mmCIF file of all heavy atoms in Angstrom:
data_model
loop_
_atom_site.group_PDB
_atom_site.id
_atom_site.type_symbol
_atom_site.label_atom_id
_atom_site.label_comp_id
_atom_site.label_asym_id
_atom_site.label_seq_id
_atom_site.Cartn_x
_atom_site.Cartn_y
_atom_site.Cartn_z
ATOM 1 N N THR A 30 -93.683 19.922 4.708
ATOM 2 C CA THR A 30 -92.392 19.311 5.016
ATOM 3 C C THR A 30 -91.352 20.409 5.194
ATOM 4 O O THR A 30 -90.971 21.085 4.242
ATOM 5 C CB THR A 30 -91.950 18.363 3.882
ATOM 6 O OG1 THR A 30 -92.944 17.346 3.714
ATOM 7 C CG2 THR A 30 -90.612 17.724 4.208
ATOM 8 N N ARG A 31 -90.926 20.609 6.451
ATOM 9 C CA ARG A 31 -89.866 21.592 6.704
ATOM 10 C C ARG A 31 -88.542 20.974 6.269
ATOM 11 O O ARG A 31 -88.227 19.847 6.638
ATOM 12 C CB ARG A 31 -89.828 21.954 8.195
ATOM 13 C CG ARG A 31 -91.158 22.496 8.689
ATOM 14 C CD ARG A 31 -91.057 23.139 10.075
ATOM 15 N NE ARG A 31 -90.519 22.261 11.086
ATOM 16 C CZ ARG A 31 -91.214 21.320 11.712
ATOM 17 N NH1 ARG A 31 -92.479 21.125 11.408
ATOM 18 N NH2 ARG A 31 -90.664 20.565 12.646
ATOM 19 N N TRP A 32 -87.773 21.717 5.477
ATOM 20 C CA TRP A 32 -86.560 21.139 4.915
ATOM 21 C C TRP A 32 -85.322 21.860 5.418
ATOM 22 O O TRP A 32 -85.350 23.048 5.758
ATOM 23 C CB TRP A 32 -86.600 21.154 3.385
ATOM 24 C CG TRP A 32 -86.623 22.526 2.771
ATOM 25 C CD1 TRP A 32 -87.698 23.338 2.611
ATOM 26 C CD2 TRP A 32 -85.498 23.241 2.252
ATOM 27 N NE1 TRP A 32 -87.337 24.513 2.018
ATOM 28 C CE2 TRP A 32 -85.990 24.489 1.782
ATOM 29 C CE3 TRP A 32 -84.138 22.965 2.137
ATOM 30 C CZ2 TRP A 32 -85.154 25.443 1.204
ATOM 31 C CZ3 TRP A 32 -83.320 23.916 1.558
ATOM 32 C CH2 TRP A 32 -83.826 25.132 1.102
ATOM 33 N N ALA A 33 -84.261 21.134 5.475
ATOM 34 C CA ALA A 33 -83.000 21.685 5.967
ATOM 35 C C ALA A 33 -81.860 20.899 5.329
ATOM 36 O O ALA A 33 -82.060 19.819 4.768
ATOM 37 C CB ALA A 33 -82.919 21.593 7.486
ATOM 38 N N GLU A 34 -80.661 21.447 5.423
ATOM 39 C CA GLU A 34 -79.507 20.749 4.866
ATOM 40 C C GLU A 34 -78.238 21.186 5.571
ATOM 41 O O GLU A 34 -78.167 22.272 6.157
ATOM 42 C CB GLU A 34 -79.388 20.993 3.356
ATOM 43 C CG GLU A 34 -79.204 22.439 2.961
ATOM 44 C CD GLU A 34 -79.230 22.628 1.441
ATOM 45 O OE1 GLU A 34 -79.810 21.769 0.743
ATOM 46 O OE2 GLU A 34 -78.676 23.638 0.968
ATOM 47 N N VAL A 35 -77.256 20.310 5.527
ATOM 48 C CA VAL A 35 -75.927 20.600 6.065
ATOM 49 C C VAL A 35 -74.959 20.671 4.889
ATOM 50 O O VAL A 35 -74.900 19.750 4.069
ATOM 51 C CB VAL A 35 -75.476 19.519 7.063
ATOM 52 C CG1 VAL A 35 -74.057 19.800 7.551
ATOM 53 C CG2 VAL A 35 -76.437 19.463 8.254
ATOM 54 N N THR A 36 -74.229 21.774 4.803
ATOM 55 C CA THR A 36 -73.242 21.964 3.740
ATOM 56 C C THR A 36 -71.924 22.398 4.369
ATOM 57 O O THR A 36 -71.823 22.562 5.596
ATOM 58 C CB THR A 36 -73.709 23.018 2.728
ATOM 59 O OG1 THR A 36 -73.984 24.251 3.423
ATOM 60 C CG2 THR A 36 -74.977 22.565 2.014
ATOM 61 N N VAL A 37 -70.919 22.604 3.541
ATOM 62 C CA VAL A 37 -69.621 23.074 3.994
ATOM 63 C C VAL A 37 -69.320 24.405 3.311
ATOM 64 O O VAL A 37 -69.450 24.521 2.074
ATOM 65 C CB VAL A 37 -68.509 22.047 3.671
ATOM 66 C CG1 VAL A 37 -67.140 22.581 4.088
ATOM 67 C CG2 VAL A 37 -68.792 20.723 4.378
ATOM 68 N N ALA A 38 -68.948 25.409 4.090
ATOM 69 C CA ALA A 38 -68.685 26.745 3.548
ATOM 70 C C ALA A 38 -67.487 26.705 2.600
ATOM 71 O O ALA A 38 -66.433 26.169 2.930
ATOM 72 C CB ALA A 38 -68.426 27.731 4.681
ATOM 73 N N GLU A 39 -67.675 27.277 1.410
ATOM 74 C CA GLU A 39 -66.592 27.307 0.427
ATOM 75 C C GLU A 39 -65.659 28.486 0.633
ATOM 76 O O GLU A 39 -64.541 28.473 0.134
ATOM 77 C CB GLU A 39 -67.195 27.354 -0.981
ATOM 78 C CG GLU A 39 -68.001 26.115 -1.333
ATOM 79 C CD GLU A 39 -68.570 26.183 -2.740
ATOM 80 O OE1 GLU A 39 -68.405 27.237 -3.398
ATOM 81 O OE2 GLU A 39 -69.163 25.185 -3.191
ATOM 82 N N GLN A 40 -66.124 29.487 1.368
ATOM 83 C CA GLN A 40 -65.294 30.665 1.617
ATOM 84 C C GLN A 40 -65.828 31.403 2.837
ATOM 85 O O GLN A 40 -66.925 31.133 3.320
ATOM 86 C CB GLN A 40 -65.316 31.598 0.401
ATOM 87 C CG GLN A 40 -66.708 32.095 0.058
ATOM 88 C CD GLN A 40 -66.736 32.901 -1.228
ATOM 89 O OE1 GLN A 40 -65.773 32.922 -1.970
ATOM 90 N NE2 GLN A 40 -67.830 33.578 -1.490
ATOM 91 N N GLU A 41 -65.061 32.337 3.337
ATOM 92 C CA GLU A 41 -65.519 33.164 4.449
ATOM 93 C C GLU A 41 -66.696 34.008 3.981
ATOM 94 O O GLU A 41 -66.694 34.543 2.862
ATOM 95 C CB GLU A 41 -64.377 34.073 4.932
ATOM 96 C CG GLU A 41 -64.777 34.957 6.106
ATOM 97 C CD GLU A 41 -63.642 35.881 6.544
ATOM 98 O OE1 GLU A 41 -62.536 35.760 5.969
ATOM 99 O OE2 GLU A 41 -63.880 36.717 7.430
ATOM 100 N N ALA A 42 -67.724 34.116 4.839
ATOM 101 C CA ALA A 42 -68.904 34.883 4.448
ATOM 102 C C ALA A 42 -69.686 35.274 5.692
ATOM 103 O O ALA A 42 -69.527 34.684 6.774
ATOM 104 C CB ALA A 42 -69.779 34.065 3.505
ATOM 105 N N LEU A 43 -70.549 36.269 5.521
ATOM 106 C CA LEU A 43 -71.451 36.680 6.582
ATOM 107 C C LEU A 43 -72.809 36.045 6.321
ATOM 108 O O LEU A 43 -73.409 36.262 5.263
ATOM 109 C CB LEU A 43 -71.591 38.203 6.614
ATOM 110 C CG LEU A 43 -72.445 38.768 7.755
ATOM 111 C CD1 LEU A 43 -71.846 38.428 9.116
ATOM 112 C CD2 LEU A 43 -72.595 40.287 7.607
ATOM 113 N N THR A 44 -73.293 35.228 7.261
ATOM 114 C CA THR A 44 -74.562 34.531 7.094
ATOM 115 C C THR A 44 -75.582 35.056 8.103
ATOM 116 O O THR A 44 -75.257 35.891 8.968
ATOM 117 C CB THR A 44 -74.391 33.019 7.310
ATOM 118 O OG1 THR A 44 -74.224 32.768 8.720
ATOM 119 C CG2 THR A 44 -73.178 32.496 6.554
ATOM 120 N N SER A 45 -76.776 34.557 8.016
ATOM 121 C CA SER A 45 -77.826 34.967 8.952
ATOM 122 C C SER A 45 -77.541 34.492 10.367
ATOM 123 O O SER A 45 -78.141 34.982 11.322
ATOM 124 C CB SER A 45 -79.181 34.413 8.481
ATOM 125 O OG SER A 45 -79.115 33.024 8.259
ATOM 126 N N ALA A 46 -76.603 33.543 10.529
ATOM 127 C CA ALA A 46 -76.226 33.056 11.864
ATOM 128 C C ALA A 46 -74.879 33.620 12.312
ATOM 129 O O ALA A 46 -74.348 33.195 13.336
ATOM 130 C CB ALA A 46 -76.180 31.536 11.864
ATOM 131 N N GLY A 47 -74.329 34.537 11.541
ATOM 132 C CA GLY A 47 -73.027 35.104 11.878
ATOM 133 C C GLY A 47 -71.992 34.786 10.807
ATOM 134 O O GLY A 47 -72.306 34.235 9.747
ATOM 135 N N ARG A 48 -70.744 35.127 11.088
ATOM 136 C CA ARG A 48 -69.684 34.943 10.099
ATOM 137 C C ARG A 48 -69.184 33.496 10.128
ATOM 138 O O ARG A 48 -69.007 32.907 11.185
ATOM 139 C CB ARG A 48 -68.527 35.911 10.383
ATOM 140 C CG ARG A 48 -67.410 35.861 9.323
ATOM 141 C CD ARG A 48 -66.444 37.032 9.485
ATOM 142 N NE ARG A 48 -67.106 38.300 9.237
ATOM 143 C CZ ARG A 48 -67.331 38.814 8.024
ATOM 144 N NH1 ARG A 48 -66.959 38.128 6.946
ATOM 145 N NH2 ARG A 48 -67.924 39.968 7.889
ATOM 146 N N CYS A 49 -68.980 32.947 8.939
ATOM 147 C CA CYS A 49 -68.417 31.607 8.827
ATOM 148 C C CYS A 49 -67.079 31.682 8.113
ATOM 149 O O CYS A 49 -66.791 32.640 7.391
ATOM 150 C CB CYS A 49 -69.365 30.681 8.051
ATOM 151 S SG CYS A 49 -69.501 31.057 6.290
ATOM 152 N N GLN A 50 -66.257 30.679 8.354
ATOM 153 C CA GLN A 50 -64.954 30.580 7.707
ATOM 154 C C GLN A 50 -64.995 29.446 6.680
ATOM 155 O O GLN A 50 -65.833 28.551 6.760
ATOM 156 C CB GLN A 50 -63.857 30.300 8.752
ATOM 157 C CG GLN A 50 -63.772 31.339 9.857
ATOM 158 C CD GLN A 50 -63.407 32.718 9.326
ATOM 159 O OE1 GLN A 50 -62.552 32.842 8.435
ATOM 160 N NE2 GLN A 50 -64.039 33.747 9.876
ATOM 161 N N GLN A 51 -64.085 29.475 5.735
ATOM 162 C CA GLN A 51 -63.987 28.399 4.758
ATOM 163 C C GLN A 51 -63.792 27.058 5.475
ATOM 164 O O GLN A 51 -62.968 26.930 6.364
ATOM 165 C CB GLN A 51 -62.826 28.641 3.800
ATOM 166 C CG GLN A 51 -62.694 27.577 2.724
ATOM 167 C CD GLN A 51 -61.534 27.861 1.778
ATOM 168 O OE1 GLN A 51 -60.715 28.742 2.038
ATOM 169 N NE2 GLN A 51 -61.457 27.124 0.686
ATOM 170 N N GLY A 52 -64.586 26.071 5.106
ATOM 171 C CA GLY A 52 -64.502 24.753 5.716
ATOM 172 C C GLY A 52 -65.447 24.543 6.880
ATOM 173 O O GLY A 52 -65.583 23.411 7.361
ATOM 174 N N ASP A 53 -66.124 25.604 7.349
ATOM 175 C CA ASP A 53 -67.095 25.452 8.433
ATOM 176 C C ASP A 53 -68.296 24.631 7.956
ATOM 177 O O ASP A 53 -68.690 24.677 6.786
ATOM 178 C CB ASP A 53 -67.601 26.812 8.908
ATOM 179 C CG ASP A 53 -66.648 27.486 9.885
ATOM 180 O OD1 ASP A 53 -65.706 26.811 10.339
ATOM 181 O OD2 ASP A 53 -66.837 28.679 10.183
ATOM 182 N N ALA A 54 -68.878 23.895 8.891
ATOM 183 C CA ALA A 54 -70.142 23.202 8.614
ATOM 184 C C ALA A 54 -71.283 24.185 8.819
ATOM 185 O O ALA A 54 -71.334 24.899 9.828
ATOM 186 C CB ALA A 54 -70.306 22.000 9.545
ATOM 187 N N LEU A 55 -72.204 24.228 7.857
ATOM 188 C CA LEU A 55 -73.338 25.153 7.913
ATOM 189 C C LEU A 55 -74.627 24.359 7.956
ATOM 190 O O LEU A 55 -74.864 23.487 7.105
ATOM 191 C CB LEU A 55 -73.352 26.067 6.679
ATOM 192 C CG LEU A 55 -72.081 26.864 6.366
ATOM 193 C CD1 LEU A 55 -72.284 27.688 5.094
ATOM 194 C CD2 LEU A 55 -71.722 27.764 7.527
ATOM 195 N N GLY A 56 -75.467 24.650 8.932
ATOM 196 C CA GLY A 56 -76.786 24.045 9.005
ATOM 197 C C GLY A 56 -77.826 25.065 8.592
ATOM 198 O O GLY A 56 -77.962 26.111 9.228
ATOM 199 N N SER A 57 -78.570 24.780 7.520
ATOM 200 C CA SER A 57 -79.558 25.720 6.991
ATOM 201 C C SER A 57 -80.950 25.122 7.107
ATOM 202 O O SER A 57 -81.148 23.936 6.861
ATOM 203 C CB SER A 57 -79.276 26.042 5.520
ATOM 204 O OG SER A 57 -77.982 26.567 5.357
ATOM 205 N N ALA A 58 -81.909 25.971 7.487
ATOM 206 C CA ALA A 58 -83.309 25.567 7.553
ATOM 207 C C ALA A 58 -84.113 26.478 6.648
ATOM 208 O O ALA A 58 -84.033 27.714 6.774
ATOM 209 C CB ALA A 58 -83.827 25.640 8.994
#
């Protein structure tokens, strides 16, 4: 079962998909 989730960024950060800002929607697999 491949799992994934959608969350909301709590702060600015550098992720594996690039930089996100606080409040951005993040899709993780």
